[in-house]
Amino acid sequence: MAIESKKSVIIVGAGPVGLLTALRLGQASIPTLVLESHPTLLPTTRAMVYMPVIIPVLRKLGILDTVQRHAFLNHEGAVWRDIDGNVLGKLPLGGEEKEKKGEFGGVLLIGQARMNSLILEELKKYPSVEVRFGLRCVGIENLPDRESVKVMVHQGSQLDGDLLFEADYVLGTDGANSAVRRILCIPFEGFTWPDWKMIGTDVLYDFPAEMGYTPLTFIVHPNDWAVIAYTGEDADGKPRGAGIPQWRVAYVEPPDLPGSKEEIMKRAYERVATYIKGSKEFKITRAEPYINHQRCAAQAQKGRVLLAGDALHSNNPIGGLGLTSGILDAFCYGNAFTRVVKGGEAPSILTDCAASRLAAWQTATNIASVSNLKRLQSFTEDDIKARDGFFHRLKTDPDFPKLLRKNMDKMIPETFEVKEGAPLATPRHSEDIVRKVELTCS
């Protein structure tokens, strides 16, 4: 079987992590192919909270202004409330001047689907990047003698729908159920939260007008804990202020309840009503279940194949650290690939980057995300004490928010950016550059 094309880097998975990595590579004119198994970008109800640690990253990627035009930058704060709406604690988020001082400069709120579409549009500026949909990764083979990797994908349902591609390196960004990780026989170690599944709903309702809620609210309760946050857009995807605000209400339910769309939606109307104390006139436009993990790959690299985002690590969504961590992966890997592929530096930089991203999740992101979750739903003696202490410090220690912001920098101990003044060469396979981004469904 003939090789369809050869690239410097193949990225498997066209979520924000894969597309942002491709953006960084496109800016360096590195021949890059992004392979996505689905026929289009997915309209998911999942990630939508982006912590301030990624704001300088998005700025360096040249996409911050675009994102801010479409996102809602929450300066009002994050608030923890009990089930009756009483305030338990508030974390001020400040503004840009605060961020320059090492404090919170706001939290970006934007749905993952919209974020994806913005990045995809930005990629059209870079002819070295090709994005292809409808191609499912089914095989990967490291080729040490050729210093490359072979990737087999399957299109459609036909038996002869296999295609082969080759690249110097492959990056798996295809989510917690990563085909890349499984093909490489890399275990996904850790655990899945066993006692509940999360339901993400998009709700048309004006929480600030009806209940005085800030754009990011956490409900503390042993059973009815939840996240209530503004998505940054209004009904039908309209810009904010153009219609009824669209909010995300994410709650949990027992994992063994009936899982049909109709049953989930019926229960969603009942559950969302428990969080609404004002007018009961609301509409749910989407309700989707998803399973939460605290897992990471046993290794981040195998030969010339590396893992990033949820393919490398997956954690519960409380506090928005999952996709935040994935975007940091994208920035670091994009920088490392640029140094190796175009800068001619040693491939060990990629090994160092993979190890750094895995260690950052293990020592910072994972610990913080578990703490964020327990703050909402655990009522053991130790966790009650920890929660009360957290809220007390928010109320009494003016330097506490700055400490919390500083701790987020542990999620990116090294950026692997190109050293200033370093020469950049023409990468291999430049002859394969597509002169425009092809957004095709094969």
Side-chain angles (χ1 to χ4, degrees):
M1 184 183 296
I3 300 294
E4 286 285 312
S5 67
K6 295 182 180 179
K7 302 290 183 179
S8 294
V9 179
I10 288 176
I11 298 171
V12 180
V17 178
L19 294 180
L20 281 174
T21 306
L23 178 61
R24 194 54 157 177
L25 300 183
Q27 291 165 347
S29 300
I30 293 174
T32 303
L33 173 63
V34 182
L35 301 171
E36 171 56 46
S37 62
H38 293 92
T40 60
L41 296 177
L42 292 179
T44 177
T45 63
R46 299 188 182 183
M48 56 159 288
V49 178
Y50 303 78
M51 286 292 120
V53 67
I54 71 160
I55 290 178
V57 165
L58 295 178
R59 182 179 292 115
K60 290 179 179 180
L61 288 170
I63 198 173
L64 179 61
D65 289 344
T66 298
V67 172
Q68 286 187 323
R69 282 196 298 271
H70 294 269
F72 180 82
L73 186 59
N74 175 18
H75 291 308
E76 297 179 51
V79 176
W80 289 261
R81 297 175 181 268
D82 63 21
I83 192 65
D84 296 318
N86 300 308
V87 175
L88 303 174
K90 180 176 181 179
L91 174 64
L93 295 176
E96 187 173 350
E97 291 303 315
K98 292 279 190 180
E99 183 66 26
K100 291 178 181 178
K101 298 177 182 178
E103 301 178 42
F104 280 95
V107 169
L108 286 169
L109 302 176
I110 180 172
Q112 183 171 325
R114 173 160 287 197
M115 184 71 163
N116 251 8
S117 64
L118 294 177
I119 305 167
L120 194 61
E121 184 66 24
E122 186 74 11
L123 279 172
K124 292 181 180 180
K125 299 177 182 178
Y126 302 99
S128 66
V129 177
E130 181 183 5
V131 182
R132 296 184 63 174
F133 292 93
L135 298 178
R136 178 169 55 91
C137 179
V138 295
I140 295 174
E141 183 181 0
N142 275 290
L143 304 171
D145 57 327
R146 294 167 60 96
E147 295 186 336
S148 65
V149 186
K150 188 163 58 177
V151 177
M152 176 179 281
V153 300
H154 189 79
Q155 56 181 341
S157 58
Q158 61 266 44
L159 291 176
D160 60 349
D162 294 334
L163 299 173
L164 284 178
F165 298 93
E166 191 172 331
D168 297 337
Y169 298 97
V170 170
L171 181 66
T173 63
D174 51 340
N177 290 311
S178 171
V180 173
R181 190 187 64 243
R182 286 174 171 150
I183 290 168
L184 295 175
C185 297
I186 296 177
F188 205 31
E189 299 174 339
F191 66 93
T192 298
W193 293 95
D195 299 326
W196 45 267
K197 63 182 176 183
M198 183 161 277
I199 308 295
T201 65
D202 285 341
V203 180
L204 300 182
Y205 188 75
D206 197 337
F207 279 93
E210 295 287 347
M211 299 175 62
Y213 276 16
T214 56
L216 183 56
T217 297
F218 300 104
I219 303 299
V220 178
H221 191 272
N223 300 310
D224 291 326
W225 58 276
V227 179
I228 301 175
Y230 181 43
T231 64
E233 58 189 73
D234 289 353
D236 301 319
K238 295 177 181 177
R240 57 184 179 274
I244 303 174
Q246 178 175 282
W247 284 63
R248 178 72 41 76
V249 179
Y251 58 87
V252 296
E253 62 180 24
D256 56 352
L257 292 179
S260 71
K261 290 184 178 180
E262 294 76 15
E263 289 286 346
I264 291 173
M265 182 63 79
K266 179 182 177 182
R267 294 195 301 271
Y269 270 97
E270 295 171 355
R271 287 295 300 278
V272 170
T274 66
Y275 304 111
I276 292 178
K277 310 305 177 185
S279 166
K280 296 294 184 180
E281 296 297 321
F282 66 92
K283 180 180 180 181
I284 300 176
T285 60
R286 190 190 306 272
E288 295 179 353
Y290 52 103
I291 305 301
N292 294 151
H293 313 280
Q294 299 295 145
R295 294 182 179 272
C296 67
Q299 58 194 90
Q301 179 182 16
K302 200 166 190 177
R304 287 174 167 260
V305 185
L306 305 101
L307 301 173
D310 281 359
L312 175 60
H313 44 67
S314 181
N315 52 264
N316 76 80
I318 308 305
L321 300 184
L323 187 50
T324 292
S325 183
I327 290 174
L328 298 179
D329 288 351
F331 183 60
C332 293
Y333 273 119
N335 293 332
F337 277 126
T338 299
R339 290 173 62 182
V340 173
V341 174
K342 195 164 186 181
E345 296 189 50
S348 59
I349 291 172
L350 286 169
T351 300
D352 292 343
C353 182
S356 175
R357 296 314 305 152
L358 183 56
W361 186 86
Q362 292 170 328
T363 61
T365 308
N366 183 43
I367 295 171
S369 72
V370 171
S371 294
N372 289 342
L373 176 62
K374 287 186 175 181
R375 192 171 299 125
L376 300 192
Q377 51 88 255
S378 180
F379 281 76
T380 67
E381 183 177 348
D382 287 345
D383 289 332
I384 290 173
K385 184 178 180 180
R387 178 168 52 245
D388 291 345
F390 179 85
F391 292 151
H392 178 74
R393 289 196 68 179
L394 283 178
K395 294 173 182 177
T396 62
D397 185 353
D399 292 327
F400 190 44
K402 187 173 183 178
L403 175 62
L404 294 174
R405 171 62 186 88
K406 184 178 180 180
N407 284 340
M408 287 189 176
D409 290 334
K410 296 177 182 178
M411 295 172 65
I412 183 168
E414 173 61 61
T415 65
F416 295 90
E417 290 174 87
V418 176
K419 297 176 182 177
E420 188 173 350
L424 294 178
T426 301
R428 294 170 64 189
H429 316 307
S430 292
E431 68 276 8
D432 292 329
I433 290 179
V434 179
R435 293 305 165 188
K436 64 177 181 177
V437 178
E438 297 179 5
L439 308 178
T440 60
C441 178
S442 299

